[in-house]
Amino acid sequence: MSSLAVNFLGIPMASPLIGASGTVGFGLELAKFIDMKKIGAISGKGLAPTPWNGNNGTRIAETTSGMLNCIGLENPGAPYFLEHYLPEVKKLGCPYIANMVGKSVEEYAECAKLLSVPGISALEVNISCPNVKEGAIAFGQKADALFGITQEIKRHAKQPVIMKLSPNVTDITEMAKAAEAAGAAAVAVHGRTREQYYSGKADWDIIRQVKEAVSIPVIGNGDVTSPQKAEELVKQTGCDGIMIARGAQGNPWIFAQINHFLETGEELPKPSPKEMVEMVLRHAKMQIAFKGEFTGMREMRKHAAWYTGGYKHASRLRSLLNEVETYEQLEELLETFASYNEA
């Protein structure tokens, strides 16, 4: 059995796996489900120097076939995170990467200052946010803008800086070279364009091109939904880190599954229906505690569908999940589902 432990940017990591920003919260939620000491690192929810409230108006609407949401990019702000979340984040047992967002160079710089504290191992800079002072052109779409913002963040950051590149450019290698020239310690690349959104197949060749263009480490992201795909991503692109995003939705076991496969070449068995249902119900209780039963249970419909995918009778269950409104209804439905699967 080979060890997956790596020293990434001077950060000791148990494996090259990184939980992607936007899919793992601040890591505290995920810690209730899995052993965090076996994850390489967590990239937390994006933080701005001040709170962002997200979109105005109606943000969640129920439809006959499910639910629509228009939340926007909301976050509590870096100061709130430092006071209320970081003390617990430090106890996770794995390195924490703070993801930063902003609307101007000044905001990014201020965020870097605030987040340059013990307990945060690196800064990941989301440069796909609209640059308000440049006519809503994303920082990551102009090499000179990317160079300038990277350099300014580096002036204030005490940790390694990872620039999260946007693939929505003519030549992403030009952007990667600009980030490297400005002092970025690494770049993260998602092989999916804005036009694709979550449809189609991620283009890993984009990641390969970046890896060949720069000498700094490259983190690859996109369509890593199984241990085999994680292995194939590294083989095809040569990337140094593997970022897990939607692959963890409905499958928080994916980190352990990938680690085990890369170490031994063997697949871990799928969680039993009973184990899976216990996980969904724990998740549902957390949703209710955080958002109340009305919103929490409606949001759990999609999560429950993701968790149960691949089990027998899952297609029939999905239509029934769209009618669930209370925790008790979900519990009864899932326990019946588990009994059918174990029969």
Side-chain angles (χ1 to χ4, degrees), residues 1-5 14-15 38 231 256-266:
M1 179 183 292
S2 60
S3 172
L4 295 179
S15 84
K38 295 183 179 180
E231 182 181 54
Q257 291 167 348
I258 293 175
N259 282 340
H260 185 78
F261 181 78
L262 295 180
E263 286 177 332
T264 69
E266 301 173 353

Side-chain angles (χ1 to χ4, degrees), residues 35-316:
D35 183 358
M36 299 296 287
K37 293 183 177 65
K38 295 183 179 180
I39 294 181
I42 289 294
S43 179
K45 181 176 175 63
L47 293 167
T50 58
W52 287 7
N53 295 324
N55 294 332
N56 296 320
T58 302
R59 289 155 51 115
I60 296 179
E62 191 169 7
T63 71
T64 54
S65 58
M67 184 183 71
L68 298 174
N69 74 72
C70 183
I71 306 299
L73 190 59
E74 66 176 10
N75 73 87
Y80 188 92
F81 166 81
L82 294 173
E83 181 179 354
H84 297 278
Y85 286 99
L86 186 58
E88 294 304 312
V89 166
K90 289 179 178 178
K91 302 174 186 177
L92 286 176
C94 72
Y96 186 85
I97 300 171
N99 181 281
M100 294 167 35
V101 296
K103 297 176 181 176
S104 67
V105 173
E106 293 78 13
E107 285 193 8
Y108 278 104
E110 179 62 22
C111 209
K113 290 179 192 176
L114 290 169
L115 295 173
S116 289
V117 297
I120 297 177
S121 299
L123 301 180
E124 180 186 50
V125 186
N126 183 346
I127 48 173
S128 296
C129 295
N131 179 354
V132 176
K133 292 187 177 180
E134 291 292 338
I137 298 296
F139 285 108
Q141 291 181 316
K142 289 184 176 182
D144 57 348
L146 192 155
F147 180 92
I149 194 169
T150 304
Q151 200 170 52
E152 183 64 17
I153 290 169
K154 281 284 297 176
R155 287 183 59 240
H156 303 285
K158 296 179 181 178
Q159 310 98 320
V161 173
I162 303 167
M163 301 305 288
K164 191 170 188 177
L165 304 182
S166 168
N168 297 288
V169 293
T170 303
D171 184 357
I172 194 170
T173 63
E174 182 185 355
M175 305 299 132
K177 290 176 181 177
E180 181 179 32
V187 291
V189 184
H190 195 300
R192 192 183 297 278
T193 65
R194 182 178 296 129
E195 288 72 24
Q196 282 181 281
Y197 198 53
Y198 295 131
S199 64
K201 184 179 179 181
D203 184 358
W204 289 352
D205 195 55
I206 294 174
I207 303 168
R208 179 193 61 77
Q209 290 172 27
V210 171
K211 178 60 183 173
E212 293 177 354
V214 298
S215 59
I216 56 177
V218 175
I219 302 168
N221 181 208
D223 286 353
V224 182
T225 55
S226 70
Q228 292 81 2
K229 287 191 174 182
E231 182 181 54
E232 191 60 30
L233 173 68
V234 176
K235 287 181 178 179
Q236 285 190 26
T237 70
C239 64
D240 306 277
I242 306 169
M243 194 163 271
I244 311 296
R246 287 188 301 147
Q249 292 181 328
N251 184 19
W253 303 276
I254 192 170
F255 299 97
Q257 291 167 348
I258 293 175
N259 282 340
H260 185 78
F261 181 78
L262 295 180
E263 286 177 332
T264 69
E266 301 173 353
E267 290 188 60
L268 287 175
K270 191 178 182 70
S272 70
K274 184 174 183 294
E275 289 175 306
M276 178 273 296
V277 167
E278 288 175 351
M279 187 73 82
V280 180
L281 294 178
R282 287 174 66 192
H283 190 161
K285 289 178 181 177
M286 292 170 65
Q287 282 283 111
I288 292 171
F290 186 60
K291 295 192 173 182
E293 187 169 55
F294 181 88
T295 299
M297 290 312 302
R298 282 158 176 77
E299 291 189 1
M300 272 308 299
R301 294 172 183 174
K302 65 179 180 182
H303 291 289
W306 289 330
Y307 275 110
T308 53
Y311 291 88
K312 293 186 295 184
H313 314 295
S315 58
R316 169 59 179 152

